Amino acid sequence: ILIMRPFKIGDYIAAQGESGTVEEISIFYTYMITPDNKVVFIPNGSLSNGTMVNYSKKDLRRVDFTFSISYDEDFEKAKKVIREVIENTPNALLDPMPFVRVVSHGESTINISTKVWTENAHYWDVYFDMMEAIKKNFDSANIEIPYNQLDVHIKNK
């Protein structure tokens, strides 16, 4: 850890089932602060031998969404609404180009995969801004976001 330096103080990492901001790297342990302000001590041996994700290493990060619409809706209209939300979301980058495509046909939904790039520091702002804007804009465009339901048919004998 001290030689290879896969992360530095201030990086946000996930390892050994924990995630947080690296606060200190000592000879035996790495100390992280979790988002809810807990201190986690991870042995450097475990970090060296296990999988670790460094969310801070790159300047850009992709925000991935899947938006579900009813089969009765026009998926091209929904894709247009999503693209408009992307264009109007502060810190959502248009280069690299966002991805908006139908990804699957679910049991009761058409699922639209949306992938948007942003600067690492703005990841959560873009995530929450888009989640709220999609709901508002789908409502304004009368695009139904379906919910799970069960139709029961009773047969009389």
Side-chain angles (χ1 to χ4, degrees), residues 1-2 4 6-7 15-16 42-52:
I1 297 297
L2 294 172
M4 300 300 289
F7 53 83
Q16 302 298 308
I42 300 180
N44 288 340
S46 298
L47 283 173
S48 296
N49 295 320
T51 301
M52 188 255 316

Side-chain angles (χ1 to χ4, degrees), residues 93-155:
L93 301 177
L94 301 179
D95 183 26
M97 185 168 40
F99 177 90
V100 181
R101 297 291 303 268
V102 171
V103 70
S104 66
H105 298 208
E107 289 182 26
S108 60
T109 62
I110 297 291
N111 299 309
I112 302 171
S113 177
T114 304
K115 301 171 188 298
V116 181
W117 290 91
T118 187
E119 292 177 13
N120 199 343
H122 301 296
Y123 179 90
W124 289 111
D125 293 330
V126 169
Y127 178 86
F128 290 119
D129 289 349
M130 282 196 58
M131 289 298 284
E132 292 173 2
I134 289 293
K135 171 65 172 131
K136 287 178 186 173
N137 288 19
F138 274 9
D139 287 350
S140 294
N142 294 315
I143 296 173
E144 180 186 355
I145 300 173
Y147 52 90
N148 289 337
Q149 59 187 14
L150 176 64
D151 292 332
V152 177
H153 301 274
I154 300 174
K155 286 187 168 184

